[in-house]
Amino acid sequence: MNDKVFTKPIEKQFEFDEEVAAVFDDMLARSVPFYKESQKITEFFALKNLKDNSILYDLGSSTASLLINISRKLKVDARLVGLDNSDAMLEQARKKCVALGAKVELKNADILEYDYKQADVFVSNYTLQFIRPLVREELVKKIVASLKKDGIFIFSEKVISHHSKLNKDLIECYYDFKKEQGYSEYEIMQKREALENVLVPYSEEENIKMARNCGFSHCEVVFRWANFATFIAVK
């Protein structure tokens, strides 16, 4: 289904409700540059680090596309667990898992409070940016504590630049991308207003510093396009 959420005037801040969930896959494909490529990198490193009895947690698993793709290629007996707090997203995810025969566990959960088992892989796709900065660091510390030695955390985030002109140009570059995907100026403006104070991005350096400060031994960018980046942190 095509994303037309912001073709009408917004009445509230952005949230992952039924309207968004119904078009979320299209929204991602048209709103996140090179989304498929960044997901392929995520799948590659996730599969490299999973073995028998491993657990992978996907935080903010939305419609479970990533977990479904990983389950198709999985050669070991590992648990794939998707956590989301949106009933609408989980309903879409369950329908897809049933239709595609994917062996994925989906749970309605608060990722800040969830009782994680020891895992080999954590994934978070554009989820941290929706968590308040002070709480965000607490979550990353919890992820570190729940990872086995040499476990990895793969996360994708929208990023900012602290160079004001460059940051402005990066945003303009991104808006040009969205126009090429068929979004109107009006839709772009509406979504920007809906996300105001809901999405709080860090810079590339701040994300790496956060990972290191929270206990990861290493963190680096493995994919970046303008103001979108995919990171890997190693415990």
Side-chain angles (χ1 to χ4, degrees), residues 19-53:
E19 186 179 22
V20 169
V23 299
F24 193 66
D25 289 345
D26 181 63
M27 184 183 284
L28 279 178
R30 293 168 61 210
S31 298
V32 181
F34 294 95
Y35 184 72
K36 284 186 179 177
E37 285 75 9
S38 72
Q39 291 301 278
K40 282 177 185 173
I41 287 176
T42 301
E43 288 169 29
F44 173 82
F45 283 104
L47 288 162
K48 287 278 286 183
N49 285 271
L50 289 173
K51 43 194 172 285
D52 285 339
N53 302 315

Side-chain angles (χ1 to χ4, degrees), residues 214-227:
C214 290
F216 283 103
S217 65
H218 182 76
C219 181
E220 67 179 80
V221 171
V222 290
F223 184 89
R224 179 163 176 175
W225 181 93
N227 50 355

Side-chain angles (χ1 to χ4, degrees), residues 83-216:
L83 306 178
D84 208 292
N85 64 355
S86 165
D87 284 328
M89 285 291 187
L90 288 164
E91 185 180 344
Q92 291 289 333
R94 289 190 181 104
K95 286 177 185 174
K96 282 168 63 175
C97 287
V98 169
L100 297 167
K103 191 181 174 186
V104 172
E105 299 174 41
L106 296 167
K107 301 182 181 186
N108 187 323
D110 179 345
I111 60 174
L112 301 168
E113 302 294 334
Y114 189 77
D115 183 21
Y116 299 101
K117 309 296 182 202
Q118 286 292 291
D120 285 288
V121 181
F122 272 79
V123 174
S124 163
N125 283 312
Y126 305 101
T127 299
L128 295 182
Q129 60 197 24
F130 287 101
I131 299 172
R132 291 195 327 276
L134 287 174
V135 184
R136 196 177 306 183
E137 196 153 309
E138 291 306 309
L139 173 61
V140 177
K141 286 177 182 172
K142 191 168 183 175
I143 290 168
V144 174
S146 304
L147 275 170
K148 295 177 184 175
K149 187 178 183 301
D150 298 322
I152 61 167
F153 176 35
I154 314 166
F155 61 104
S156 295
E157 291 283 286
K158 199 170 181 182
V159 294
I160 57 168
S161 170
H162 288 299
H163 185 285
S164 58
K165 183 183 183 304
L166 181 55
N167 194 59
K168 184 172 175 289
D169 290 346
L170 286 168
I171 292 168
E172 185 181 331
C173 178
Y174 173 49
Y175 287 169
D176 282 350
F177 166 84
K178 292 192 79 170
K179 288 173 196 169
E180 287 170 7
Q181 307 310 307
Y183 285 115
S184 66
E185 292 264 10
Y186 181 75
E187 288 174 285
I188 292 168
M189 179 194 73
Q190 289 279 99
K191 188 170 185 181
R192 185 182 68 220
E193 288 184 15
L195 286 169
E196 192 76 34
N197 301 319
V198 176
L199 191 161
V200 182
Y202 285 172
S203 68
E204 179 181 315
E205 295 78 13
E206 286 167 338
N207 275 296
I208 291 171
K209 185 179 178 184
M210 173 183 68
R212 295 296 304 274
N213 286 347
C214 290
F216 283 103

